[in-house]
């Protein structure tokens, strides 16, 4: 890469893992400084071309190019490049932003109402004429988090979105209540913690098979970051005036529909394995080794064995009526251990990877005809991920299952905007968790956007300032829903959260 004085910077931006090009030698920096100084000198006070004279476009461009050339030469240790923008914020319409430009919550409430109509029993259907289209079931807005760090800005946006949409739904229901005089159902938020996420440094590979240890199985691991999550939930709940509950994986796997769903997973494991894991072809159901100091769980379920549960009946051993299953897991040190699908305490031990959890969650929520479930998650799960790992297996299930759907219903999922770095990649939690993932953000003063803990440290308060600004921003997206169907850059958020300013 060559530095060419007086021209736009000609080098390519190196990949994150590539060594820094030699652009910060004393001579290249001196050249770059000289170039910029010579361009700026005529603008100094007392110079013939100083004052408020409008720069010609070519001059302007030359100065910007000289700045771009200078910036990477400033430090050998901190890799930084300059880019410029015009500060204009566009919210172009297209796809979701066009379809839901004026309203997001109205169509959602219509869909929930239709779910109630679709799940009426034949008996109820006779009285459908009396059904006035009012939602009668409680509504829960779900979001989730892996508590392996203080809440990352993407997680904070998902949480804000969940409370903001709950507040808007409740506002509309209360309006209806005032008009109709009929009591409307409650609206709440539920945050589910994936306390089965793996702890860094506790993973292991034996004979090519990957094993991991979950947060809930490492002493004290959960306690590190959970207080930050609860603090965020308490603030958002107070600001939205919406109650919240929390849930953990053992509660998720103890749900009323789980025995039937795990039986289905065991029975259809070959098809589901191919659908849920293009890499391994297996269903990643896990259980930690029960030996207290071990707690290893096999990551991808490649060694799991599934066998029908045999029951003694009239002196004969035969498969039970409920088609229950024994799933055997293997610890590399302590050998096999198993769960039985007819034992709730066994099921509470289960863990699943993200696609399997996603599918099980949607299935159990679809089977629940007492409560409405709406989920908020990051937009990186929208599109092909859901079409491949959720809707395709759901269509199979609806076709095969006798106790499942039987009626055409699909999950209600809202996708929260992602926050992008300069290259358009999402601000990644795993990169942030990795040491020095976002070194440059420290230099640029935007690292307080990385996590709630850093935000608190930056503002020197209890979290209300930064989170409050983010909450106000997300509620504005809710009021102007086309903004919920795009991404936002770190630079945009910097203005909103760190500087407390609007871009427009
Ligand atoms: Zn073990």
């Amino acid at each position: 890469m060559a530095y060419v004085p007086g021209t736009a910077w000609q080098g390519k931006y190196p990949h994150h893992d590539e060594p820094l090009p030699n652009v910060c030698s004393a001579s290249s920096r001196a050249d770059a400084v000289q170039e910029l100084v010579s361009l700026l000198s005529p603008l100094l006070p007392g110079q013939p071309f100083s004052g408020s004279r409008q720069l010609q476009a070519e001059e302007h461009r030359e100065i910007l190019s000289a700045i771009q050339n200078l910036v990477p030469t400033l430090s050998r240790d901190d890799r930084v490049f300059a880019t410029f923008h015009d500060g204009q914020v566009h919210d172009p319409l297209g796809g979701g932003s066009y379809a839901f430009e004026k309203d997001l919550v109205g169509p959602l409430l219509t869909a929930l109402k239709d779910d109630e109509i679709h799940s009426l029993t034949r008996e109820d259907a006779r009285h459908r004429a009396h059904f006035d289209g009012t939602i009668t079931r409680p509504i829960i807005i779900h979001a989730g988090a892996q508590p392996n760090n203080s809440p990352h800005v993407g997680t904070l946006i998902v949480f804000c979105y969940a409370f903001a949409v709950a507040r808007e739904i409740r506002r509309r229901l209360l309006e209806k209540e005032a008009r109709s005089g009929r009591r409307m159902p409650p609206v709440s938020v539920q945050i589910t913690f994936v306390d089965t996420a793996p702890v860094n440094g506790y993973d292991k590979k034996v004979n090519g098979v990957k094993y991991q240890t979950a947060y809930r199985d490492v002493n004290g691991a959960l306690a590190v970051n959970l207080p930050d999550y609860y603090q965020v939930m308490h603030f958002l709940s107070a600001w939205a005036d919406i109650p919240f509950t929390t849930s953990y994986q053992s509660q998720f796997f103890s749900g009323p529909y789980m025995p039937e769903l795990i039986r289905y997973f065991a029975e259809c494991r070959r098809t589901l394995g191919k659908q849920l894991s293009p890499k391994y072809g297996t269903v990643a159901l896990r259980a930690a080794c029960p030996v207290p100091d071990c707690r290893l769980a096999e990551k991808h379920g490649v060694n799991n064995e599934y066998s029908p549960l045999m029951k003694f009946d009239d002196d004969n051993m035969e498969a039970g009526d409920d088609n229950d299953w024994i799933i055997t897991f293997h610890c590399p040190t302590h050998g096999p251990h198993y769960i039985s699908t007819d034992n709730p305490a066994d099921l509470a031990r289960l863990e699943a990877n993200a696609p399997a959890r996603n599918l099980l969650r949607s299935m159990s929520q679809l089977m629940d005809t007492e409560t409405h479930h709406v989920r908020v998650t990051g937009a990186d799960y929208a599109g092909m991920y859901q079409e491949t790992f959720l809707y395709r297996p759901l269509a199979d299930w609806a076709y095969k299952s006798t106790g499942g759907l039987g009626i055409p219903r699909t999950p209600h999922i809202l996708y929260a905007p992602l926050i992008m770095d300069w290259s358009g990649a999402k601000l990644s939690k795993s990169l942030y968790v990795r040491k020095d993932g976002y070194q440059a953000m420290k230099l640029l003063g935007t690292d307080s956007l990385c996590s709630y803990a850093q935000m608190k440290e930056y503002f020197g308060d209890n979290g209300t300032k930064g989170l409050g600004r983010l909450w106000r921003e997300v509620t504005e997206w809710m009021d102007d829903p086309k903004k919920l169907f795009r991404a936002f850059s770190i630079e945009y958020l910097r203005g909103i959260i760190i500087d407390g300013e609007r871009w427009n």
Side-chain angles (χ1 to χ4, degrees):
M1 188 182 67
Y3 161 62
V4 184
T7 64
W9 180 63
Q10 299 289 309
K12 75 180 177 74
Y13 290 103
H15 187 268
H16 182 84
D17 296 327
E18 288 178 31
L20 187 66
N22 185 25
V23 292
C24 47
S25 69
S27 63
S28 63
R29 180 162 65 187
D31 287 346
V33 170
Q34 185 59 56
E35 174 70 14
L36 184 57
V37 167
S38 67
L39 287 166
L40 293 181
S41 296
L43 305 180
L44 285 170
Q47 297 299 313
F49 301 112
S50 66
S52 57
R53 179 180 66 85
Q54 182 68 24
L55 288 177
Q56 298 298 310
E58 184 58 30
E59 282 178 279
H60 195 171
R61 202 159 36 237
E62 275 191 342
I63 291 172
L64 296 180
S65 293
I67 292 169
Q68 278 190 309
N69 287 331
L70 171 66
V71 169
T73 70
L74 289 175
S75 168
R76 188 184 293 275
D77 300 324
D78 294 305
R79 183 191 297 183
V80 176
F81 300 94
T83 58
F84 305 104
H85 61 78
D86 62 8
Q88 289 192 52
V89 179
H90 304 283
D91 300 303
L93 295 178
S97 61
Y98 179 74
F100 299 102
E101 178 189 2
K102 303 291 183 199
D103 193 12
L104 177 86
V105 169
L108 175 62
L109 288 174
T110 302
L112 298 184
K113 190 178 69 187
D114 286 346
D115 280 359
E116 289 201 23
I117 295 170
H118 283 144
S119 59
L120 288 175
T121 61
R122 277 176 195 278
E123 181 61 27
D124 291 338
R126 290 201 193 98
H127 304 291
R128 189 181 289 188
H130 302 293
F131 187 80
D132 66 357
T134 304
I135 290 175
T136 61
R137 300 174 190 163
I139 301 172
I140 301 178
I141 312 296
H142 296 265
Q146 299 193 7
N148 53 2
N149 64 317
S150 176
H152 167 267
V153 70
T155 311
L156 294 178
I157 286 174
V158 166
F159 282 22
C160 287
Y161 192 162
F163 280 96
V165 78
R167 183 174 74 161
E168 180 58 19
I169 288 173
R170 209 242 341 248
R171 188 187 69 75
R172 295 193 193 201
L173 292 182
L174 288 179
E175 269 181 11
K176 195 155 191 171
E177 185 172 296
R179 280 200 308 272
S180 68
R182 284 186 56 174
R183 189 105 178 118
M184 289 293 132
V187 184
S188 62
V189 167
Q190 181 170 91
I191 304 292
T192 301
F193 289 108
V194 185
D195 52 348
T196 51
V199 182
N200 275 344
Y202 281 75
D203 50 341
K204 152 178 205 183
K205 206 169 185 178
V206 181
N207 297 328
V209 178
K210 288 182 181 170
Y211 298 86
Q212 62 184 37
T213 311
Y215 265 77
R216 68 181 179 187
D217 290 323
V218 174
N219 227 347
L222 274 176
V224 178
N225 296 306
L226 271 184
D228 275 357
Y229 286 86
Y230 276 88
Q231 199 175 25
V232 167
M233 290 185 290
H234 279 290
F235 281 136
L236 294 178
S237 172
W239 296 338
D241 193 21
I242 290 285
F244 74 91
T245 56
T246 56
S247 173
Y248 293 82
Q249 291 305 292
S250 59
Q251 289 161 283
F252 174 64
F253 279 99
S254 303
Y257 308 107
M258 210 45 84
E260 179 178 341
L261 292 175
I262 298 300
R263 285 200 297 265
Y264 176 81
F265 263 53
E267 199 177 306
C268 303
R269 63 192 178 280
R270 290 192 180 86
T271 312
L272 280 171
K274 280 183 273 181
Q275 288 174 334
L276 294 179
S277 174
K279 282 187 194 163
Y280 296 92
T282 50
V283 172
L285 286 177
R286 310 166 185 143
C289 172
V291 175
D293 289 336
C294 177
R295 313 301 294 167
L296 275 181
E298 198 234 297
K299 190 175 179 65
H300 300 293
V302 293
N303 287 332
N304 291 358
E305 292 164 40
Y306 297 80
S307 45
L309 175 65
M310 306 306 279
K311 288 183 176 168
F312 290 101
D313 184 18
D314 295 337
D315 297 331
N316 292 316
M317 195 170 70
E318 54 187 35
D321 293 340
D322 291 334
N323 301 318
D324 277 305
W325 290 78
I326 297 282
I327 308 177
T328 305
F329 305 93
H330 290 270
C331 169
T333 311
H334 304 101
H337 57 98
Y338 69 90
I339 65 121
S340 171
T341 59
D342 72 342
N343 183 345
D346 276 2
L347 290 175
R349 288 179 54 213
L350 275 178
E351 309 170 20
N353 73 347
R357 224 169 39 234
N358 183 34
L359 179 59
L360 285 168
R361 186 196 301 110
S362 293
M363 287 170 156
S364 51
Q365 292 177 353
L366 287 169
M367 289 175 79
D368 183 357
T369 53
E370 303 293 319
T371 305
H372 290 296
H373 301 276
V374 177
R375 199 164 129 226
V376 180
T377 191
D380 43 347
Y381 286 94
M384 190 171 170
Y385 185 96
Q386 295 295 49
E387 285 147 22
T388 305
F389 300 136
L390 182 61
Y391 292 104
R392 193 155 172 255
L394 275 184
D396 261 1
W397 179 58
Y399 178 70
K400 290 177 189 164
S401 161
T402 50
L405 289 174
I407 42 154
R409 289 174 61 206
T410 49
H412 303 284
I413 306 176
L414 304 171
Y415 296 97
L418 297 181
I419 302 305
M420 308 302 216
D421 71 8
W422 72 276
S423 79
K426 77 158 187 167
L427 188 67
S428 153
K429 188 173 81 169
S430 44
L431 272 180
Y432 152 69
V433 170
R434 198 176 80 180
K435 201 170 160 283
D436 78 12
Y438 290 118
Q439 262 316 98
M441 287 179 73
K442 278 193 187 131
L443 178 71
L444 300 172
T446 48
D447 61 324
S448 57
L449 296 177
C450 275
S451 77
Y452 182 62
Q454 282 161 290
M455 211 182 263
K456 283 194 288 189
E457 195 181 318
Y458 175 80
F459 287 110
D461 70 353
N462 61 356
T464 46
K465 195 159 189 177
L467 185 65
R469 287 174 174 175
L470 188 61
W471 166 247
R472 190 182 61 180
E473 176 69 16
V474 175
T475 53
E476 285 178 14
W477 301 346
M478 189 58 59
D479 293 340
D480 189 5
K482 63 178 180 291
K483 295 184 176 174
L484 290 164
F485 294 87
R486 49 161 289 178
F488 292 89
S489 66
I490 290 172
E491 206 49 42
Y492 176 89
L493 268 200
R494 173 207 184 99
I496 301 293
I497 296 180
I498 298 179
D499 304 331
E501 291 169 355
R502 322 301 304 164
W503 278 109
N504 283 327

